[in-house]
Amino acid sequence: MYAKQSFIIVILLVAIISAVLVSFLVTTNTIIPLLPPYNNIITTIIFQEPSSNRIEDSTEDVKLISIYSTKILPIVRDYHDIISASVNKIDDDNKMIFTMDLAGDANKNEKYETVYLWLIYYTSNLHGRNQQQLYTVIIPNFPSDSNFENKNGWYLTIFNNTDSSYTLPLSKISGMPKNKVQVFVDPAFIGNPQSFNYVVSTMVRVNSTYLNKPPDYLVDSAPDGNELFWVKWFS
């Protein structure tokens, strides 16, 4: 068993939106038909007790699934392997903690950009009309030996796919706890929902020259069985 430790991420805002993230921006009309159905394979977060808010994933199920054609073949690492994912509300602090437990230490990422994604979706009722809401929590890591200019370490950004706008611009954040990715998020950045569904994935970008394109590989996702969804999202 890996040692668990609590960790607080300090968000250091920067005043830019990177072209690295352009390829992750998806419109609601495009993505909604591809989303897995609202059933028990997708975890629903409800900020009341008791709540079921954890997705468990098979271990050692990582594999490279090509999204964008490239001849570069990265090595699959243990920190690409999702063990579980969860979202919890912090009592008395009006914050949510997004946690992805991994089989290895993501701070040891080498050579290429690794991205950890939460895709959040729910239905809101605005002015008496139901509307699908879609947000993407994007956590990229750029290792020191990568070729991504002016990028090093961990970043966080949140994109409102429904309105095609950032609720949190690209922000430099501190390192992660061992064997997990973990960030604290104000619920306002995802529309203050009372409940929502989510899926998660890890992806790798090996080509640092052409940033305005999809990532190159899907490596793992949870819950299992949604690989085709992720590939179609970027196709």
Side-chain angles (χ1 to χ4, degrees):
M1 296 294 293
Y2 299 112
K4 295 184 177 179
Q5 53 182 294
S6 60
F7 195 83
I8 297 179
I9 303 300
V10 179
I11 298 176
L12 304 175
L13 294 178
V14 295
I16 61 172
I17 296 178
S18 173
V20 174
L21 300 172
V22 171
S23 62
F24 290 98
L25 312 187
V26 185
T27 63
T28 303
N29 290 337
T30 301
I31 192 77
I32 288 297
L34 303 179
L35 284 168
Y38 286 77
N39 58 31
N40 58 10
I41 70 167
I42 302 298
T43 300
T44 300
I45 307 302
I46 301 176
F47 294 126
Q48 295 178 355
E49 294 293 341
S51 64
S52 175
N53 57 18
R54 178 176 294 274
I55 294 176
E56 302 288 345
D57 189 41
S58 303
T59 58
E60 300 182 358
D61 62 341
V62 290
K63 60 181 177 180
L64 294 175
I65 299 177
S66 180
I67 296 175
Y68 188 87
S69 179
T70 177
K71 294 181 180 180
I72 303 173
L73 197 66
I75 298 174
V76 174
R77 304 290 189 182
D78 53 6
Y79 51 76
H80 296 137
D81 192 359
I82 301 170
I83 294 177
S84 65
S86 63
V87 183
N88 290 285
K89 188 175 185 294
I90 302 175
D91 292 337
D92 303 322
D93 197 24
N94 195 34
K95 291 288 190 301
M96 294 184 298
I97 180 170
F98 287 68
T99 304
M100 197 181 298
D101 293 304
L102 307 170
D105 189 353
N107 295 297
K108 297 180 179 179
N109 184 29
E110 298 178 349
K111 198 170 184 179
Y112 305 117
E113 174 194 3
T114 298
V115 184
Y116 300 88
L117 293 175
W118 271 264
L119 183 62
I120 295 166
Y121 58 104
Y122 60 92
T123 300
S124 66
N125 188 286
L126 184 64
H127 306 303
R129 296 179 59 184
N130 288 336
Q131 183 178 14
Q132 298 285 349
Q133 301 291 335
L134 180 67
Y135 292 83
T136 311
V137 177
I138 307 167
I139 309 171
N141 175 265
F142 302 92
S144 57
D145 60 348
S146 74
N147 293 322
F148 293 91
E149 293 184 1
N150 303 318
K151 293 289 182 295
N152 184 20
W154 290 96
Y155 293 80
L156 168 66
T157 187
I158 301 175
F159 188 74
N160 180 341
N161 297 83
T162 306
D163 292 339
S164 297
S165 62
Y166 285 94
T167 57
L168 179 66
L170 184 68
S171 307
K172 189 75 165 64
I173 59 177
S174 58
M176 296 294 164
K178 186 177 181 181
N179 298 343
K180 66 178 62 179
V181 169
Q182 188 174 82
V183 293
F184 290 76
V185 173
D186 189 319
F189 289 133
I190 60 169
N192 285 312
Q194 291 300 308
S195 65
F196 60 83
N197 290 340
Y198 71 92
V199 290
V200 297
S201 68
T202 58
M203 297 187 177
V204 172
R205 185 192 305 277
V206 298
N207 194 324
S208 61
T209 303
Y210 302 104
L211 302 181
N212 192 10
K213 67 170 185 58
D216 299 297
Y217 294 98
L218 170 70
V219 190
D220 197 12
S221 63
D224 289 326
N226 291 325
E227 292 82 4
L228 182 60
F229 155 72
W230 288 104
V231 171
K232 284 186 175 182
W233 181 18
F234 291 105
S235 64

